[in-house]
Amino acid sequence: MTDENTTHFGYKNVRTDEKQGRVSQVFDSVASRYDLMNDLMSMGIHRLWKRFAVELAGIKRGQKVLDLASGTGDLAARFAGLVGPDGLVVMTDINAAMLDEGRKRMADEGLVGNVEYTQVNAENIPFPDNSFDCITIAFGLRNVTDKQKALSEMHRVLKPGGRVLVLEFSHPNGEPLKQIYDIYSFKLLPMMGRLVANDEDSYRYLAESIRMHPDQETLKGMMEQAGLERCDYHNMTGGIVAAHRGFKL
């Protein structure tokens, strides 16, 4: 149980003002192996999840996109190609090590000119109201301390007619899949973290943070509470991942 002064860090209750630092330690630890572990953990399926999310985002040439919790830039790289030279992608992460990895990757791929980099806490987005045509956050919302505040901030900086897209691990459909997923998450995932990234604890936190994240309907309700309209979600891989979408009308 949590109160206004505490929050979840995986299955642990911690002081609200401690969570950001703890999450930063996790991503400082895994940054250099982040892409490799994503491929191993999902058996490459994360690329299909992200491709579908990009389609839902509906990005057009010349638009301005804010990608929160960009990590190493999987979505931002796709958006940079879609908005073209007249558009802009603002690639952000709260964690400096992750943002640096993303910047290196974008430079290696020659994606310069229409991409900017900013260290951003999603709870306090440092941009004016009505600034972006699309705002995305992929596999990052569950690590945010105050998710409702972050969603309200996304709504604030979104232009009328724009959309917010949240791609996140969610809750599997059906008991057999849940049981298999639990075995994978709490047995195999930490073991892979230990063998590949030399960091079992961070990947145990990953599994726990997924379980503590709001389910599909709850997150949809939170987006509506933030002021977004026509909210919907699309389950992928049996609900293991869901793409939520909402509009500012």
Side-chain angles (χ1 to χ4, degrees):
M1 182 178 295
T2 63
D3 57 35
E4 62 182 6
N5 297 313
T6 63
T7 189
H8 297 293
F9 177 74
Y11 286 164
K12 298 175 184 176
N13 282 348
V14 299
R15 287 180 54 86
T16 301
D17 57 6
E18 292 179 2
K19 180 170 179 177
Q20 181 178 325
R22 286 175 176 254
V23 171
S24 291
Q25 290 175 358
V26 168
F27 285 94
D28 282 342
S29 174
V30 304
S32 64
R33 297 291 184 95
Y34 187 77
D35 287 332
L36 174 60
M37 282 298 296
N38 276 350
D39 281 330
L40 291 174
M41 287 188 302
S42 71
M43 294 172 284
I45 298 173
H46 74 98
R47 299 175 188 276
L48 299 179
W49 298 333
K50 291 168 182 173
R51 185 180 302 167
F52 180 71
V54 169
E55 291 176 1
L56 280 182
I59 304 299
K60 296 180 175 60
R61 291 185 69 82
Q63 289 190 327
K64 190 174 180 182
V65 180
L66 174 64
D67 188 32
L68 297 166
S70 293
T72 55
D74 280 351
L75 292 189
R78 291 170 171 81
F79 294 149
L82 291 171
V83 301
D86 296 326
L88 178 67
V89 176
V90 180
M91 182 173 168
T92 76
D93 204 288
I94 194 172
N95 182 270
M98 290 299 298
L99 191 60
D100 190 50
E101 289 292 324
R103 188 197 301 264
K104 291 176 185 175
R105 175 183 172 183
M106 300 292 266
D108 288 344
E109 295 184 9
L111 295 169
V112 295
N114 65 349
V115 181
E116 294 181 356
Y117 306 89
T118 308
Q119 192 168 353
V120 168
N121 181 343
E123 297 174 37
N124 296 286
I125 299 174
F127 297 108
D129 297 358
N130 308 319
S131 292
F132 295 93
D133 297 288
C134 183
I135 300 171
T136 59
I137 182 167
F139 303 112
L141 185 62
R142 71 180 185 282
N143 296 311
V144 174
T145 303
D146 190 337
K147 298 174 180 61
Q148 190 64 61
K149 185 176 180 183
L151 290 168
S152 295
E153 277 287 273
M154 293 179 212
H155 177 266
R156 179 184 65 80
V157 300
L158 187 67
K159 292 179 181 179
R163 69 187 73 190
V164 166
L165 185 75
V166 180
L167 180 65
E168 188 56 88
F169 290 109
S170 199
H171 291 235
N173 301 319
E175 197 57 38
L177 180 57
K178 289 179 182 178
Q179 292 176 4
I180 294 170
Y181 191 47
D182 279 346
I183 293 170
Y184 169 79
S185 298
F186 294 106
K187 300 293 184 182
L188 297 180
L189 190 56
M191 182 178 69
M192 281 192 287
R194 182 179 72 250
L195 295 175
V196 178
N198 195 30
D199 188 346
E200 182 174 346
D201 290 344
S202 291
Y203 286 92
R204 182 174 291 108
Y205 160 73
L206 170 62
E208 293 176 357
S209 70
I210 291 169
R211 295 306 186 280
M212 300 305 295
H213 187 65
D215 65 19
Q216 289 90 327
E217 285 293 330
T218 302
L219 181 54
K220 178 184 175 185
M222 292 172 67
M223 293 175 70
E224 291 170 342
Q225 184 178 335
L228 294 162
E229 301 183 57
R230 289 169 48 198
C231 297
D232 60 10
Y233 61 85
H234 303 262
N235 284 328
M236 291 174 277
T237 318
I240 288 173
V241 166
H244 283 72
R245 181 177 55 174
F247 298 82
K248 184 174 182 177
L249 303 180

